[in-house]
Amino acid sequence: MRPDLLNPLFAETESLKGVGPGLARPLEKLGLTRVRDLVYHLPDRFVSRRAVTRLDEAGIGENIVIGLTVREHRASAGRGPFRVLAEDDAGDIVTLTYFGRASYTARKLLPVGERRWIAGRLDQFGQMRQIVHPDHVAQDSGELTAHLTEPVYPLSEGLTQGRIAGLVHQALGHLPHLPEWVEPGLLAREAWPNWAEAVAEAHKGENAKARDRLAYDELLANSLALMLVRASNRTRRGLPLHGDGHLRKRLDLPFSLTGAQQRAIAEVEADLAQGAPMLRLLQGDVGSGKTAVALHAMLIAVEAGAQAAMLAPTEILARQHAETLRRMAAGTGVTIALLTGRDKGKAREATLMGLLDGSIQICVGTHAIFQEAVAYRNLALVVIDEQHRFGVGQRLMLTQKARTTAHCLAMTATPIPRTLTLAQYGEMDVSRLDEMPPGRQPIDTRVVSTDRVEEVIAGIGRHLAKGGQAYWVCPMVREQETEDLAAAEARHALLKERFGDGVELVHGQLRPEAKDAAMERFARGEAGLLVATTVIEVGVDVPNATLMVIEHAERFGLAQLHQLRGRVGRGTGRSTCLLLRGEALSETGRERLALMRETQDGFLLAEEDLRLRGGGELLGTRQSGDTPFRVASFDQIARLLPLAHDDARLLMERDGGLSSPRGEAARVLLYLFERDWGVQLLRGG
């Protein structure tokens, strides 16, 4: 149960003055639903303004504070701007320009003949100096000294900087006194402020110590929670699985296992034989052979007289896995069943009965395989595919379906930099498939300017005429008024007009049944071209699709581009990936696309993406909800995570865990960052 002293921070934002339903909606878009969220809604940057007495002292483009005397109001005809002419102490004129309804406010704030203090950015319009929509207008110079340095917050539509700053100010007034959870020696060595001071300072100005302290708190909470999961897992009783190899001997795979696959299988086999349940992450690049490792693990469970289940994030991926596993395990005699939310009636009942009586040894499906109505005779191993789609809490829930805690093998095809593996999967042992199976052909990757799009479309026509299939990936679903990006719907309409009914469209806003039907039609070869957003990043395996076009490729992260490219090159034919780039290409965008052309090593690309993006989104996949951190930047993760990890281990192993005085403070920290599933595990034993 959350400690009472945190209640003020977990009060809803609507408890703050001036926040009603109308303001709550844009706040919710930013994830600001509680006072705590506002406290941790840190500024992106700060505006620094210089106080000047004359306009000549300031440069064009500079943010200034200056005293001016209002000389004239000039209203424009129609919807033109409202201009206020004002002069400095030397008699030089500047225009204060307002648009729209702001003109009514300007008349009141800036009466003719009165002196006012103005804060804003000095610009040039023709021969005149101007300040468009001054940030602040005050009657007294002292009122603006507080605005010489001012935070700039992330916004959503319907919010202004002033409104957010006011709400943050209110939220900071609710800060409780919290006990200190940082180890005293570290606190002194880093010269970090206490928690409340760090929060206040981080909103006031550029303060690296304050920001580092807050980032460290988040990393410590995460490390400690994952350590609690790991410790809890080691105390649980699992079912040791000793396979005798009789099923694996019957496997007749059309390929030889790589050294990396053999190493991973040996690590999994050793884990399964232990009394404590396995908790292992299998990281493998697209096409590195994770499914073969998973099959070996599941056959060990079946050899030991137990059952295994494989969880996939989508129905189409579950069907694909079931077909692949049945094909690979054809000579073993093992019964493999598919169970999804779509299964109904007698077929579903037969599957449920087979799981209950043990005649079904391996079950593949979506989250439906863990519903309350589904019972297993002896489930001992859970394989989770595309691990990044499931959180720690879900991982734990799935393994509780067995009579004793099931072994867990989680897999991800999203290569994660070594720096971040500890942050996301600190409770798990990690195996890496860093070797590609022999004979897999490299994908010919080219960068093409969007002004050659007609040539690309003509090339697709020739490709389809030869019986080939292709993907066309767009970054958006519909055109946005403010951005000139290709939208999937518009592109689909154009390509369908050109190539007819063999063109399908899938995107995240489609109903799941419609999306699956379109993908299945493409997988069966009934459609030649699939226009899509990034929903195809995971879960489509069509060997005949050997051409991929990614429009506005500069808008994607490296890892995401690599994942998308991995949809082709899955058969024996030579594959091509065309990266269509826009004209306005940043230096980072140029380097990113060059890297895609040069290498197909997903782990190298992940490390490079981290270097290029710095404090940006995790591998370009934040839209999947992948990043576990709100406060810590990637630079801070690289610097501070080792410290946080060591401190968490020190607390657990030497300082008495959560029952010590500092442990009690750390318990508060876990609830503050909503990592309290670690506490629940401790309580549950």
Side-chain angles (χ1 to χ4, degrees):
M1 200 167 132
R2 189 169 60 226
D4 289 344
L5 81 168
L6 290 177
N7 287 346
L9 291 173
F10 282 85
E12 294 183 357
T13 47
E14 290 189 51
S15 65
L16 298 176
K17 188 178 175 185
V19 182
L23 187 56
R25 277 190 291 278
L27 287 172
E28 192 176 345
K29 282 183 189 170
L30 285 172
L32 306 178
T33 58
R34 299 156 306 178
V35 170
R36 172 204 171 279
D37 304 324
L38 283 163
V39 166
Y40 282 113
H41 190 65
L42 300 179
D44 279 335
R45 58 191 171 86
F46 290 85
V47 172
S48 294
R49 300 189 182 93
R50 191 161 63 92
V52 296
T53 54
R54 296 175 48 178
L55 291 163
D56 284 344
E57 294 172 29
I60 297 301
E62 188 177 359
N63 286 290
I64 60 170
V65 172
I66 187 169
L68 299 168
T69 303
V70 179
R71 290 299 176 215
E72 186 182 341
H73 289 175
R74 286 186 185 173
S76 302
R79 295 189 175 185
F82 179 77
R83 292 186 172 91
V84 177
L85 271 58
E87 68 178 23
D88 66 5
D89 293 347
D92 290 328
I93 297 291
V94 63
T95 303
L96 310 178
T97 306
Y98 290 85
F99 293 92
R101 294 181 175 227
S103 61
Y104 299 112
T105 309
R107 289 178 192 275
K108 288 183 181 177
L109 288 176
L110 298 159
V112 174
E114 296 286 329
R115 185 172 174 80
R116 292 290 183 267
W117 290 84
I118 308 296
R121 176 188 160 104
L122 185 65
D123 286 311
Q124 185 102 21
F125 181 69
Q127 297 301 308
M128 286 289 293
R129 285 179 282 209
Q130 76 169 352
I131 296 173
V132 178
H133 282 277
D135 298 326
H136 301 282
V137 177
Q139 294 186 37
D140 191 309
S141 63
E143 289 179 50
L144 287 193
T145 54
H147 297 295
L148 289 176
T149 299
E150 199 164 57
V152 178
Y153 291 101
L155 297 176
S156 69
E157 193 177 346
L159 291 171
T160 62
Q161 289 295 337
R163 182 58 66 89
I164 282 284
L167 292 174
V168 167
H169 181 71
Q170 274 195 72
L172 295 181
H174 288 71
L175 295 187
H177 173 73
L178 299 182
E180 185 55 77
W181 45 74
V182 179
E183 197 272 321
L186 177 63
L187 199 67
R189 188 173 76 242
E190 297 293 333
W192 283 340
N194 67 38
W195 175 76
E197 288 169 347
V199 168
E201 290 298 322
H203 285 281
K204 262 187 216 167
E206 301 285 355
N207 187 319
K209 293 286 184 189
R211 293 290 283 243
D212 276 1
R213 157 71 207 243
L214 298 180
Y216 180 82
D217 290 347
E218 185 174 36
L219 295 169
L220 179 61
N222 197 67
S223 295
L224 191 55
L226 293 176
M227 229 163 259
L228 287 166
V229 172
R230 195 180 181 104
S232 169
N233 194 63
R234 284 177 174 163
T235 63
R236 292 175 188 273
R237 190 169 60 84
L239 180 66
L241 301 175
H242 300 279
D244 60 9
H246 75 277
L247 293 175
R248 284 170 286 164
K249 278 178 194 165
R250 292 186 215 157
L251 277 176
D252 185 20
L253 300 177
F255 50 82
S256 299
L257 294 174
T258 63
Q261 284 174 309
Q262 290 170 352
R263 275 196 310 278
I265 290 167
E267 287 165 350
V268 168
E269 188 167 13
D271 282 359
L272 292 175
Q274 302 300 314
M278 172 175 73
L279 206 50
R280 183 168 288 276
L281 175 71
L282 179 63
Q283 274 190 302
D285 211 340
V286 177
S288 60
K290 295 183 299 298
T291 308
V293 175
L295 177 58
H296 275 78
M298 291 189 282
L299 289 179
I300 291 170
V302 178
E303 287 170 357
Q307 291 166 296
M310 186 177 202
L311 173 71
T314 65
E315 187 165 318
I316 191 166
L317 189 52
R319 290 183 186 282
Q320 199 168 280
H321 276 314
E323 287 168 22
T324 303
L325 291 171
R326 282 171 184 151
R327 193 169 59 246
M328 291 168 81
T332 65
V334 170
T335 307
I336 299 172
L338 174 71
L339 183 63
T340 71
R342 202 188 289 182
D343 298 318
K344 300 283 186 289
K346 289 183 179 177
R348 178 180 172 81
E349 284 176 26
T351 303
L352 295 181
M353 190 55 69
L355 292 172
L356 187 58
D357 65 22
S359 58
I360 293 174
Q361 293 145 309
I362 295 176
C363 181
V364 182
T366 56
H367 60 276
I369 65 176
F370 294 101
Q371 286 172 351
E372 203 171 319
V374 183
Y376 296 80
R377 182 172 180 271
N378 187 15
L379 178 65
L381 170 65
V382 174
V383 178
I384 304 175
D385 191 31
E386 291 309 329
Q387 166 56 43
H388 68 279
R389 302 290 182 96
F390 305 98
V392 176
Q394 287 167 299
R395 291 206 285 272
L396 297 170
M397 180 192 75
L398 302 182
T399 57
Q400 302 308 310
K401 198 73 181 174
R403 280 177 290 182
T404 55
T405 303
H407 299 276
C408 179
L409 177 65
M411 308 194 296
T412 179
T414 304
I416 300 165
R418 291 183 189 277
T419 323
L420 300 182
T421 303
L422 192 65
Q424 283 190 276
Y425 302 112
E427 88 283 19
M428 307 181 94
D429 296 306
V430 179
S431 294
R432 271 194 169 196
L433 297 183
D434 49 9
E435 212 178 317
M436 294 303 276
R440 190 171 168 89
Q441 290 201 41
I443 299 162
D444 181 16
T445 304
R446 305 175 200 173
V447 180
V448 181
S449 171
T450 46
D451 59 16
R452 294 176 58 196
V453 70
E454 274 305 317
E455 291 176 48
V456 172
I457 292 172
I460 284 183
R462 292 191 296 273
H463 180 77
L464 296 177
K466 291 177 189 169
Q469 288 175 277
Y471 300 96
W472 189 299
V473 180
C474 301
M476 293 170 60
V477 178
R478 293 186 179 88
E479 290 285 2
Q480 297 289 320
E481 291 177 359
T482 55
E483 294 186 62
D484 180 25
L485 286 181
E489 288 173 340
R491 181 59 69 194
H492 171 253
L494 188 148
L495 293 170
K496 190 163 185 174
E497 189 178 326
R498 184 82 164 256
F499 302 121
D501 290 338
V503 183
E504 285 288 353
L505 170 68
V506 295
H507 56 71
Q509 293 174 26
L510 280 178
R511 293 193 324 277
E513 314 85 73
K515 188 164 59 181
D516 284 354
M519 283 183 166
E520 282 170 14
R521 189 164 175 254
F522 182 70
R524 288 195 299 266
E526 293 166 15
L529 181 59
L530 186 66
V531 180
T533 57
T534 55
V535 294
I536 63 154
E537 183 185 339
V538 169
V540 185
D541 188 359
V542 184
N544 189 47
T546 55
L547 176 60
M548 162 77 69
V549 178
I550 304 176
E551 196 162 356
H552 280 288
E554 74 277 5
R555 298 281 176 151
F556 296 91
L558 267 175
Q560 199 169 34
L561 285 173
H562 180 63
Q563 287 285 84
L564 289 165
R565 176 171 63 182
R567 295 301 105 208
V568 295
R570 305 180 83 83
T572 53
R574 187 167 177 74
S575 293
T576 303
C577 178
L578 301 179
L579 304 174
L580 284 182
R581 63 165 179 82
E583 292 307 306
L585 201 59
S586 68
E587 195 53 47
T588 301
R590 198 178 302 280
E591 195 173 344
R592 192 182 291 146
L593 296 184
L595 277 164
M596 281 295 294
R597 211 171 47 232
E598 290 162 15
T599 183
Q600 290 179 41
D601 181 338
F603 289 106
L604 173 64
L605 287 171
E607 297 289 350
E608 286 299 307
D609 209 15
L610 184 61
R611 178 182 67 79
L612 287 172
R613 283 173 171 257
E617 297 167 359
L618 167 64
L619 311 180
T621 55
R622 172 166 283 185
Q623 49 271 55
S624 303
D626 207 24
T627 176
F629 301 115
R630 179 169 185 159
V631 180
S633 70
F634 289 107
D635 166 64
Q636 288 170 321
I637 292 169
R639 287 188 294 110
L640 301 174
L641 183 60
L643 280 176
H645 187 73
D646 289 346
D647 192 18
R649 194 171 61 228
L650 189 71
L651 179 62
M652 292 294 293
E653 293 175 2
R654 195 199 70 183
D655 292 353
L658 296 193
S659 57
S660 66
R662 187 159 81 94
E664 286 294 331
R667 195 183 290 260
V668 172
L669 172 70
L670 287 168
Y671 278 100
L672 177 64
F673 279 101
E674 297 179 292
R675 301 298 202 275
D676 44 289
W677 30 261
V679 182
Q680 310 303 332
L681 268 179
L682 192 73
R683 189 176 293 130

